[in-house]
Amino acid sequence: MRLLVVFSLMFLISYSCKKKTDPPIDEISCKAGIYDDNYNYVELESFPDLNMMWDTQNLYASGSDSIDLDNDGLNDLILSMSYYETDSAHLIIGYPNPFPGFRVTAKNGFQLNCMHDIAYHGMGASSTYYFPDTLSYGNDVKTAAYWKSGSFWQENPIPTQLTFGPWYNASKVYFMGFRKAISTGFGAYYKYGWVKIDCTNRYEPVFISYAIAK
């Protein structure tokens, strides 16, 4: 009888511990462009400032900027752009290098809501390219094909790449979704958010505002 009682107590303790170590459930919805008291909302001014610098021959320009999404002193999104002077394209030997593009690299546990494109080179060879998806107002940020870094747009010679990315010919303001993995003593969960971006001028993108779950 005592043995049965001991086993019963051990089962109850084990079950109680298991319940306590279950990871928290993130039930906050995240829709592009929508926020409430569960989110920190930030309006941006004059961002990004890529400070484009030309090379000594004035053929190529490049620049970068970064943003701290959760205000912890770390740069979470690294933005970099490059392009060349089309009027001097005849001076470029071979293909432009680097090709014009606008890349975003997520760091410090952040990931971006991305789509992908596959370029086939023949003989069974292919390359996969990832682009932050163009979310419209009200789209579910949590629904993503991939969670990665990528390029808003990237020019490349055909047939190396079939598309230049969804932001290349953007005709209106879109949203980019993101998430950050949060580790706790009981597991892990994600904080979601979005960035409102006007990329109708691909060479001068404007980040208007963003929201991130508290």
Side-chain angles (χ1 to χ4, degrees):
M1 182 65 178
R2 289 182 178 178
L3 189 60
L4 179 60
V5 171
V6 170
F7 277 119
S8 298
L9 289 174
M10 290 178 62
F11 173 80
L12 290 173
I13 293 172
S14 175
Y15 180 78
S16 175
C17 291
K18 182 178 184 302
K19 294 296 288 183
K20 290 182 180 179
T21 56
D22 284 341
I25 298 175
D26 177 21
E27 297 181 345
I28 300 175
S29 65
C30 187
K31 307 293 185 181
I34 300 173
Y35 64 95
D36 55 22
D37 291 340
N38 293 309
Y39 286 82
N40 288 321
Y41 173 74
V42 178
E43 292 188 355
L44 299 169
E45 295 183 5
S46 303
F47 183 83
D49 180 7
L50 297 169
N51 190 27
M52 303 297 292
M53 302 292 291
W54 290 90
D55 70 337
T56 55
Q57 294 182 292
N58 289 323
L59 294 179
Y60 296 98
S62 60
S64 63
D65 201 350
S66 59
I67 184 171
D68 177 4
L69 291 172
D70 54 0
N71 197 32
D72 63 355
L74 300 176
N75 292 325
D76 303 314
L77 299 184
I78 309 300
L79 307 171
S80 58
M81 181 177 286
S82 60
Y83 51 72
Y84 63 92
E85 175 55 64
T86 55
D87 292 339
S88 301
H90 62 284
L91 300 176
I92 298 174
I93 300 175
Y95 288 122
N97 183 23
F99 276 90
F102 181 36
R103 180 170 178 80
V104 54
T105 302
K107 302 178 65 177
N108 307 315
F110 280 89
Q111 299 172 316
L112 307 178
N113 182 320
C114 284
M115 57 169 288
H116 78 294
D117 182 44
I118 300 176
Y120 298 95
H121 312 307
M123 303 296 292
S126 64
S127 299
T128 302
Y129 298 85
Y130 299 95
F131 304 97
D133 206 351
T134 45
L135 303 179
S136 296
Y137 182 87
N139 283 168
D140 188 353
V141 171
K142 294 184 178 181
T143 302
Y146 298 92
W147 291 99
K148 291 181 173 289
S149 295
S151 294
F152 287 98
W153 57 268
Q154 180 69 56
E155 292 185 11
N156 276 302
I158 296 174
T160 300
Q161 187 171 313
L162 302 180
T163 178
F164 291 164
W167 299 82
Y168 188 75
N169 289 315
S171 59
K172 65 176 184 178
V173 171
Y174 287 104
F175 298 84
M176 177 185 69
F178 63 81
R179 71 181 185 182
K180 180 180 181 180
I182 305 297
S183 298
T184 71
F186 305 110
Y189 66 102
Y190 290 105
K191 286 186 177 181
Y192 291 84
W194 49 261
V195 184
K196 185 178 182 180
I197 303 171
D198 182 349
C199 199
T200 51
N201 181 345
R202 71 178 72 98
Y203 299 111
E204 296 182 3
V206 178
F207 285 46
I208 300 170
S209 60
Y210 71 89
I212 179 172
K214 294 179 180 179

